[in-house]
Amino acid sequence: MIPPQEASARRREIEDKLKQEEETLSFIRDSLEKSDQLTKNMVSILSSFESRLMKLENSIIPVHKQTENLQRLQENVEKTLSCLDHVISYYHVASDTEKIIREGPTGRLEEYLGSMAKIQKAVEYFQDNSPDSPELNKVKLLFERGKESLESEFRSLMTRHSKVVSPVLILDLISGEDELEVQEEVPLEHLPEGVLQDVIRISRWLVEYGRNQDFMNVYYQIRSSQLDRSIKGLKEHFRKSSSSSGVPYSPAIPNKRKDTPTKKPIKRPGTIRKAQNLLKQYSQHGLDGKKGGSNLIPLEGRDDTLDVETDAYIHCVSAFVRLAQSEYQLLMDVIPEHHQKKTFDSLIQDALDGLMLEGENIVSAARKAIIRHDFSAVLTVFPILRHLKQTKPEFDQVLQGTAANTKNKLPGLITSMETVGAKALEDFADNIKNDPDKEYNMPKDGTVHELTSNAILFLQQLLDFQETAGAMLASQETSSAATSYSSEFSKRLLSTYICKVLGNLQLNLLSKSKVYEDPALSAIFLHNNYNYILKALEKSELIQLVAVTQKTAERSYREHIEQQIQTYQRSWLKVTDYIAEKNLPVFQPGVKLRDKERQMIKERFKGFNDGLEELCKIQKAWAIPDMEQRDKIRQAQKNIVRETYGAFLHRYGSVPFTKNPEKYIKYRVEQVGDMIDRLFDTSA
């Protein structure tokens, strides 16, 4: 049981807590009442604010909408005014630009094109919006006038500033082709840079806005004329240079300054000159034929004009390629892409046709020369054909995209030249074989016949044009091997041809040698000609070319030469037989000679003396131009005769076969040798 004191204390504690809780509850109640009051006040304020916002909104929105409408109206007014200004400006275009159009674009192309752009827009506007307006006709006429002025300006710029390329510059352009070291490319300016830019601007405007292609015709006609005149000027340069100095000159090396060219001789193509130089070398060794004619026109008599014409044509071909390449580069800037090939085709026609016509004239002249047997003129075809074939890849590249007729012109000319060249080779071989035996044309001294020197000279030309001549021969072959046009096949054909010519020449010389009544002179004639042929073959590369199909040709000629020497030596038998030991009388020393024996010895001396004098007199007028061969033949004959005569003189010189020994013993052994040393020497 809880004591009373603790119970009383506990009651008081509970009462105190209860009192505190009541106070707290009263505080909370008062707070809630205040909060409710505040809430009511806030609701009242918010309701009042909402009411005011609604009133404000109802007042502002109509004003805002009205302001927007006013702004829109203002913008519309401004746009309308702007459109009106724009439209009105079209009506003023004609008056604003008429003066500029009337004065033309010269010197102010940019301003002029700006005016043309305004007129173009005016035309488009009136066409779309007022097609019946008189203003449309006015701006149309002004536009057409402006377009005509631009066309006229295009023509004027092209005409005034398109210059013929000088021969000096052209030769500079092509002079690096034969140089081993790389040269700087020679700049070629067809039009000044400023003029070119104006031409390009006008061209693009005419294509885009003018709907006009006539300017392309103007362009190709003007540039075609300049190209043609440039090439003709180069040809004329060669003619004048050759007539004034005898040798045309090439101008500057490309890396020299253009205004200070250093002249240097043009490299000659391999023509007759090289063979003539070789012939001069042979002449120094006494190998040149001096007499004896043939129905072949002498190659030495060839006019230098042919070389000049050949050089000029070859350089003109190279010039055409270089200038055409340059023209195409220029054309690419001026002419629209889809018109470039056609325009270029038209542009090069005159110059190309001129080259092809001149080439055909060369072919025609060669055909006529073949008929006249003037094979020196035919030789002009060889360097030209070689150059055309070497240049053909560049030609094909330049003409890429042109018409088929244009592309086929060069191959057609090459075919014509190959045909006429093959005909010349064939006819030359036939003429060598069939050259007539005319007694009055034969060299009286048995020297080298002109037919031989001409034949060798002609063959030497083929050394410079082995591939060309081989291709000519191959072009006439129908065998499957010919279709390959291999270098080896062509070389064998050329070797066979040269052997054929040499064979024909040998047969003809044998036939001609029969004209001589004296077999010894006939042998000297054949010896001289065979020796000339052999030396000519050895001094050039002909012997290697012959050896391709005939390995023993050199040995064969040496055998022929030796055979003719032996034939000649037999002519002295009628002299030496008189004093040969086998024909001498036998007698005993100290025994008196009988009359018959004395008479026989006298006849032997007289026969020897008469024969020696006769042969020396006759053979002194004969010729062996080759000094080495002449000395060899003299020495061999001198040894034989001196030995035989010395033995005879030793045996019978002291024999009393006559009272007048000086009448029969006319010559000492040394004198006989001296007489033989003067053989084949007309100056002795």
Side-chain angles (χ1 to χ4, degrees):
M1 195 170 166
I2 299 174
Q5 290 180 347
E6 287 182 9
S8 176
R10 188 170 183 82
R11 186 182 312 112
R12 281 195 299 271
E13 183 180 352
I14 291 171
E15 288 176 353
D16 289 339
K17 285 184 181 181
L18 180 61
K19 185 177 180 179
Q20 289 176 357
E21 289 296 334
E22 287 176 351
E23 289 176 355
T24 300
L25 181 62
S26 177
F27 176 75
I28 291 172
R29 188 178 292 111
D30 291 341
S31 295
L32 286 173
E33 288 177 356
K34 288 179 181 179
S35 177
D36 288 342
Q37 185 63 39
L38 289 173
T39 299
K40 289 178 181 179
N41 291 340
M42 181 60 68
V43 170
S44 176
I45 292 170
L46 289 176
S47 297
S48 175
F49 185 70
E50 182 180 8
S51 175
R52 291 180 181 182
L53 281 177
M54 289 181 65
K55 289 179 181 180
L56 180 61
E57 183 178 354
N58 291 334
S59 299
I60 292 300
I61 287 177
V63 174
H64 176 70
K65 288 183 178 180
Q66 187 176 6
T67 302
E68 278 188 342
N69 291 335
L70 289 173
Q71 288 177 343
R72 192 176 297 110
L73 288 173
Q74 184 179 1
E75 289 175 1
N76 290 339
V77 169
E78 290 175 354
K79 288 181 179 179
T80 302
L81 290 174
S82 176
C83 288
L84 286 173
D85 288 340
H86 183 66
V87 170
I88 291 171
S89 68
Y90 289 129
Y91 287 86
H92 293 290
V93 164
S95 58
D96 291 343
T97 60
E98 186 174 8
K99 181 181 178 182
I100 296 175
I101 300 302
R102 184 174 64 250
E103 292 175 353
T106 304
R108 50 175 181 179
L109 181 61
E110 196 67 34
E111 181 184 5
Y112 193 89
L113 291 178
S115 298
M116 289 298 293
K118 292 179 182 179
I119 298 171
Q120 172 73 14
K121 290 179 180 179
V123 171
E124 293 172 354
Y125 171 79
F126 288 119
Q127 284 178 336
D128 293 339
N129 298 282
S130 185
D132 298 328
S133 171
E135 290 296 328
L136 176 60
N137 293 331
K138 192 172 183 179
V139 291
K140 270 188 174 181
L141 289 174
L142 196 59
F143 182 82
E144 291 299 322
R145 187 189 305 171
K147 185 172 71 171
E148 290 173 2
S149 294
L150 284 172
E151 293 170 358
S152 177
E153 178 71 3
F154 182 90
R155 179 187 293 273
S156 176
L157 289 173
M158 292 297 302
T159 303
R160 284 188 289 115
H161 296 282
S162 290
K163 305 297 182 185
V164 173
V165 184
S166 70
V168 170
L169 189 54
I170 294 175
L171 288 171
D172 275 343
L173 192 66
I174 63 178
S175 62
E177 291 182 354
D178 297 326
E179 300 295 330
L180 294 177
E181 61 270 8
V182 177
Q183 302 283 1
E184 293 181 12
E185 190 169 343
V186 179
L188 188 59
E189 184 181 71
H190 291 291
L191 296 171
E193 183 60 28
V195 173
L196 177 59
Q197 294 305 318
D198 285 352
V199 167
I200 293 173
R201 289 289 306 278
I202 295 174
S203 165
R204 291 177 179 173
W205 190 93
L206 290 173
V207 171
E208 186 174 357
Y209 301 107
R211 305 291 189 270
N212 187 321
Q213 298 181 7
D214 292 343
F215 78 94
M216 300 181 198
N217 297 332
V218 171
Y219 177 87
Y220 91 71
Q221 288 168 2
I222 294 173
R223 294 308 309 167
S224 175
S225 175
Q226 300 305 323
L227 175 62
D228 191 40
R229 289 170 60 193
S230 296
I231 294 176
K232 288 178 178 177
L234 177 62
K235 185 176 180 181
E236 188 63 26
H237 169 77
F238 271 80
R239 289 176 177 170
K240 289 181 179 178
S241 297
S242 91
S243 62
S244 61
S245 62
V247 179
Y249 286 93
S250 168
I253 300 171
N255 57 7
K256 298 287 185 183
R257 289 185 56 181
K258 187 168 63 175
D259 56 345
T260 57
T262 302
K263 290 187 176 182
K264 63 179 181 180
I266 288 177
K267 293 185 177 180
R268 289 275 190 192
T271 57
I272 191 69
R273 254 175 228 291
K274 182 176 179 181
Q276 288 176 337
N277 291 335
L278 286 171
L279 179 61
K280 290 178 182 177
Q281 295 175 14
Y282 302 154
S283 299
Q284 293 170 1
H285 292 84
L287 292 183
D288 189 12
K290 300 175 183 176
K291 301 177 183 178
S294 73
N295 66 337
L296 298 176
I297 295 177
L299 298 182
E300 292 180 75
R302 186 169 184 252
D303 190 349
D304 283 347
T305 303
L306 290 174
D307 278 343
V308 174
E309 293 295 331
T310 300
D311 289 348
Y313 186 74
I314 286 174
H315 283 79
C316 285
V317 169
S318 294
F320 172 82
V321 173
R322 292 291 173 263
L323 292 176
Q325 289 172 340
S326 182
E327 287 291 347
Y328 192 74
Q329 292 300 318
L330 178 66
L331 177 141
M332 289 173 65
D333 292 330
V334 179
I335 304 300
E337 183 177 0
H338 54 288
H339 291 285
Q340 288 173 1
K341 294 295 184 182
K342 182 179 179 181
T343 304
F344 180 70
D345 196 339
S346 301
L347 189 156
I348 62 173
Q349 283 305 313
D350 286 348
L352 181 59
D353 286 345
L355 283 178
M356 295 302 108
L357 178 60
E358 190 171 350
E360 290 297 340
N361 288 339
I362 291 171
V363 172
S364 178
R367 290 194 182 101
K368 294 176 182 177
I370 293 172
I371 296 174
R372 299 193 310 269
H373 300 160
D374 180 8
F375 294 97
S376 63
V378 178
L379 290 173
T380 59
V381 171
F382 285 74
I384 292 173
L385 177 59
R386 179 176 65 182
H387 187 71
L388 289 178
K389 295 180 80 170
Q390 289 173 344
T391 313
K392 186 176 181 297
E394 290 183 281
F395 244 100
D396 292 342
Q397 185 177 6
V398 168
L399 300 182
Q400 187 177 4
T402 58
N405 181 51
T406 303
K407 293 178 182 177
N408 292 333
K409 287 180 179 179
L410 181 64
L413 179 59
I414 289 175
T415 300
S416 296
M417 287 193 170
E418 283 189 331
T419 302
V420 77
K423 175 66 174 172
L425 293 175
E426 178 185 352
D427 281 23
F428 183 81
D430 290 342
N431 275 277
I432 293 296
K433 180 179 181 180
N434 301 319
D435 186 70
D437 302 324
K438 296 180 180 178
E439 185 173 353
Y440 60 84
N441 274 336
M442 293 296 291
K444 303 299 182 184
D445 56 2
T447 190
V448 178
H449 198 281
E450 189 176 27
L451 176 69
T452 302
S453 60
N454 279 347
I456 293 299
L457 283 172
F458 186 87
L459 292 180
Q460 283 164 350
Q461 306 318 297
L462 304 186
L463 290 176
D464 290 326
F465 309 104
Q466 293 185 37
E467 292 186 8
T468 304
M472 285 178 177
L473 296 169
S475 68
Q476 306 304 305
E477 293 288 322
T478 56
S479 64
S480 58
T483 58
S484 64
Y485 273 94
S486 69
S487 176
E488 185 64 27
F489 177 74
S490 297
K491 190 173 184 178
R492 290 189 66 82
L493 280 179
L494 184 57
S495 175
T496 302
Y497 172 78
I498 292 174
C499 292
K500 176 183 177 182
V501 172
L502 293 175
N504 289 350
L505 178 60
Q506 186 172 341
L507 291 173
N508 198 310
L509 291 172
L510 282 171
S511 176
K512 290 183 185 304
S513 69
K514 296 176 183 177
V515 171
Y516 297 110
E517 296 179 359
D518 190 334
L521 180 55
S522 177
I524 291 296
F525 171 76
L526 290 175
H527 164 273
N528 285 333
N529 283 273
Y530 291 157
N531 183 61
Y532 179 90
I533 294 170
L534 178 60
K535 290 294 178 68
L537 293 177
E538 290 177 335
K539 284 182 178 293
S540 65
E541 297 176 9
L542 279 173
I543 193 66
Q544 288 91 341
L545 200 52
V546 168
V548 172
T549 53
Q550 285 196 8
K551 305 292 185 184
T552 61
E554 186 175 359
R555 184 181 68 189
S556 177
Y557 273 110
R558 294 192 186 281
E559 291 174 354
H560 287 318
I561 291 169
E562 190 59 36
Q563 181 182 353
Q564 298 310 317
I565 292 175
Q566 293 173 7
T567 301
Y568 161 75
Q569 289 176 341
R570 284 197 290 270
S571 69
W572 282 83
L573 289 177
K574 62 182 180 181
V575 176
T576 56
D577 277 355
Y578 278 107
I579 56 175
E581 187 175 354
K582 62 181 180 179
N583 296 325
L584 295 177
V586 180
F587 62 91
Q588 297 297 325
V591 178
K592 186 178 179 180
L593 296 176
R594 292 175 302 194
D595 292 341
K596 182 178 180 182
E597 292 173 337
R598 286 196 296 272
Q599 185 61 34
M600 182 178 293
I601 294 173
K602 291 178 182 178
E603 290 176 356
R604 293 289 183 267
F605 270 108
K606 186 177 187 304
F608 173 78
N609 292 335
D610 291 346
L612 175 66
E613 291 168 357
E614 180 185 4
L615 282 187
C616 286
K617 180 181 179 181
I618 293 173
Q619 295 184 8
K620 178 183 176 182
W622 295 356
I624 299 180
D626 186 343
M627 185 182 298
E628 181 182 345
Q629 285 290 313
R630 183 167 65 238
D631 291 343
K632 174 183 174 183
I633 292 174
R634 281 175 177 170
Q635 189 62 41
Q637 198 59 53
K638 185 167 65 172
N639 291 342
I640 294 172
V641 176
R642 285 178 59 178
E643 182 181 351
T644 306
Y645 182 63
F648 178 76
L649 195 60
H650 177 73
R651 176 174 292 188
Y652 295 103
S654 58
V655 174
F657 65 91
T658 178
K659 294 180 181 179
N660 301 307
E662 66 276 0
K663 178 181 178 181
Y664 296 98
I665 307 176
K666 297 174 64 175
Y667 303 105
R668 299 189 306 276
V669 175
E670 293 76 12
Q671 288 177 307
V672 171
D674 291 342
M675 292 173 69
I676 294 175
D677 277 337
R678 291 194 290 271
L679 297 180
F680 317 117
D681 188 358
T682 56
S683 63

